[in-house]
Amino acid sequence: DQVAKPGRAFAMWHTSGSFATLIPALADISALDLATLDNLCAPGLAMRPQRRVNRMIALFSAAPHGSIQGILKGLRFSNADAAWIGSVAAAWQTLRDDMRNAMMQEPTPSDASLRRWAAEAGRTRLASVLRIAGARWTAERQAGIAAPSSEAVMSVYRRAVRTAYRDPIEIGDLAVNGSDLEKLGIRGPAVGQTLRSLLETVINDPAANSREKLLEAVKGQPQHGR
């Protein structure tokens, strides 16, 4: 039962003071945080190896923002696991309010919003962030709190994953690069600033991601690093 409902076991850690002693950052973990663990699908299925890791992400998302990776290293997690769990948890902490608000509104979140979430989380981490979101909102509904429905989450999940892998959401996806900007006389920090500005443009409108259009947009902007 503790495998199926790990939140119950961790609730005993909480009430006994074990979290305060062993993992002080989780001393104030809430009942909703723990219920989120129980609403993630059980680990161990051959086709779903990430579920155990997702439970760790959900658990440590209750820790203060920016502290998770250091906590995990102190607990002897591998560098790879600490980096993955920490990065997904940090993305969820950053995005959760925006995601929740967007999902509670009609119509459903725009493609531009999904691209922005993917840009913040990273295309390989977005699916895990949305799984944590779905489990959290299920826990909220069970507690009588208004939250996005499971049907809405599933619909957005499918759209978001397709969007993350189809559309430009990273600087490396742009049809131009730093060398192209340097040929226009852009130098130093202005290169990175311009690329970030162009990324925002194509997140809003992926059709703008062509070499011609992006270079034309750059030529029309004042560049202070030339």
Side-chain angles (χ1 to χ4, degrees):
D1 185 56
Q2 290 183 359
V3 173
K5 299 289 184 181
R8 296 178 184 177
F10 284 126
M12 290 188 283
W13 278 44
H14 183 233
T15 56
S16 70
S18 294
F19 272 139
T21 301
L22 300 173
I23 314 175
L26 298 181
D28 295 326
I29 195 168
S30 71
L32 277 174
D33 292 325
L34 294 172
T36 300
L37 303 179
D38 294 341
N39 285 289
L40 283 161
C41 296
L45 299 179
M47 298 300 291
R48 293 164 178 170
Q50 283 295 313
R51 284 178 169 171
R52 191 179 303 277
V53 174
N54 284 339
R55 283 180 168 177
M56 290 294 98
I57 295 167
L59 177 66
F60 285 99
S61 290
H65 188 77
S67 68
I68 299 168
Q69 196 164 334
I71 293 169
L72 294 172
K73 287 184 177 180
L75 293 171
R76 304 295 181 87
F77 279 69
S78 71
N79 288 338
D81 284 346
W84 176 261
I85 294 168
S87 64
V88 176
W92 165 236
Q93 290 175 330
T94 298
L95 289 169
R96 58 189 171 192
D97 290 341
D98 184 39
M99 283 183 163
R100 193 181 192 286
N101 292 337
M103 294 282 290
M104 292 294 286
Q105 296 173 1
E106 292 293 342
T108 56
S110 67
D111 286 349
S113 291
L114 301 185
R115 286 190 289 270
R116 196 160 283 107
W117 296 350
E120 177 65 41
R123 57 170 43 100
T124 61
R125 293 183 286 274
L126 181 61
S128 291
V129 170
L130 288 168
R131 290 189 190 105
I132 304 301
R136 173 69 181 206
W137 295 331
T138 298
E140 289 183 0
R141 292 194 305 273
Q142 291 170 347
I145 301 169
S149 69
S150 57
E151 294 80 12
V153 173
M154 183 58 67
S155 174
V156 167
Y157 178 91
R158 288 191 293 263
R159 286 178 55 217
V161 172
R162 284 198 303 269
T163 297
Y165 283 92
R166 178 193 65 202
D167 292 348
I169 55 110
E170 299 176 349
I171 285 177
D173 298 330
L174 293 172
V176 298
N177 57 33
S179 296
D180 296 316
L181 301 185
E182 288 174 357
K183 290 175 184 176
L184 296 178
I186 300 171
R187 298 285 186 270
V191 173
Q193 293 166 4
T194 303
L195 289 172
R196 289 190 291 274
S197 175
L198 293 176
L199 180 60
E200 182 64 22
T201 296
V202 302
I203 283 174
N204 287 317
D205 179 17
N209 192 31
S210 74
R211 181 178 171 80
E212 254 183 46
K213 291 180 180 178
L214 294 182
L215 291 179
E216 191 60 35
V218 171
K219 290 174 184 176
Q221 296 176 358
Q223 301 295 335
H224 301 294
R226 288 183 178 178

